[in-house]
Amino acid sequence: MAATKLNAEKRTEFGKGASRRARREGKIPAVIYGGETETQSLVLPGHDTFLIVKDGANALVELHLDGEKQLALVKDVQRHPVRRDILHVDLLAVKRGEKVEVDIPVVLVGEPEPGTTATLDEFTLTVMADATAIPEEIEVSIEGLENGTVVTFKDITLPEGTEADYEDDTVICSIAIPQEEAPAAADAEGSEAEAGESSDEGGNSEDNNE
């Protein structure tokens, strides 16, 4: 994973008012922490930061700050609940060759046997990976799997260079035939109605005979 250059400035003003002013100027408040780096408050260029984080988490950046460079991983992005604007970014200082803990999305590949569907139980897996070689996704093949098949952690292959600590029987996904509950309920109601009509018809016949 190549690091994307990102110019940063030290943040000298704090508080909600200062944050709003920074965003009006096209900048985004941020903080960097971890490793041997002292926690620092920063402001980042808004457009460049948006392009970096728009494709998801775990983006690797090379911060340029006061003539120095620092590798960092995007750990959290806070957005406005309605407009989805970026409000704040958390960065984790890293270095080449260092292992970091990250959440990687699980992606199902292929199609199970006809008539069945796959249900994903673990949408992400937490792994340890080299800060400069974080995989974008973990692929799990479900091609041709039959009804009742359960794919567990021991059945999958992690991307090269990654490690994860899960029990072998942790369910990743399962294959099943969809339950058609609504049609079944309708059939049951229809049967009850038919039974009721038959009873009524029988009663009417007796009345007529009398």
Side-chain angles (χ1 to χ4, degrees):
M1 177 188 296
T4 304
K5 177 182 175 181
L6 190 63
N7 292 318
E9 304 171 24
K10 287 185 178 178
R11 189 177 175 192
T12 57
E13 296 183 307
F14 301 91
K16 292 183 178 180
S19 296
R20 285 194 292 266
R21 283 194 297 274
R23 287 190 284 269
R24 283 198 299 267
E25 294 171 0
K27 300 177 182 179
I28 297 173
V31 64
I32 183 170
Y33 58 89
E36 300 175 357
T37 302
E38 293 184 5
T39 301
Q40 295 184 64
S41 296
L42 311 170
V43 286
L44 307 175
H47 180 67
D48 291 344
T49 303
F50 169 79
L51 294 177
I52 289 171
V53 305
K54 69 181 180 67
D55 294 327
N58 303 326
L60 184 67
V61 298
E62 183 182 73
L63 288 179
H64 288 233
L65 177 64
D66 292 341
E68 298 183 358
K69 300 177 183 179
Q70 171 65 56
L71 282 178
L73 200 65
V74 176
K75 291 299 290 181
D76 186 56
V77 178
Q78 299 174 24
R79 296 180 181 271
H80 189 281
V82 178
R83 300 192 305 270
R84 306 304 296 162
D85 300 338
I86 299 175
L87 302 179
H88 192 275
V89 175
D90 287 359
L91 300 167
L92 174 67
V94 296
K95 55 186 177 182
R96 298 187 186 280
E98 178 184 3
K99 290 272 190 177
V100 293
E101 185 177 270
V102 289
D103 293 332
I104 307 298
V106 175
V107 176
L108 300 181
V109 179
E111 296 291 337
E113 71 172 3
T116 65
T117 59
T119 299
L120 197 57
D121 291 77
E122 297 289 340
F123 292 90
T124 64
L125 290 177
T126 302
V127 305
M128 296 295 292
D130 190 306
T132 60
I134 297 174
E136 294 183 1
E137 59 190 31
I138 297 173
E139 294 187 351
V140 176
S141 176
I142 58 171
E143 183 63 35
L145 295 185
E146 300 177 350
N147 175 43
T149 302
V150 176
V151 179
T152 62
F153 179 72
K154 69 178 181 180
D155 300 319
I156 69 173
T157 301
L158 294 176
E160 185 177 355
T162 63
E163 305 169 359
D165 185 18
Y166 287 87
E167 297 293 335
D168 284 347
D169 59 357
T170 299
V171 177
I172 306 300
C173 73
S174 54
I175 311 299
I177 297 175
Q179 297 296 316
E180 299 181 0
E181 296 180 358
D187 291 344
E189 291 175 1
S191 298
E192 291 175 0
E194 291 174 3
E197 290 175 0
S198 298
S199 299
D200 291 341
E201 290 173 0
N204 291 337
S205 176
E206 291 175 1
D207 290 342
N208 291 335
N209 289 336
E210 289 177 355

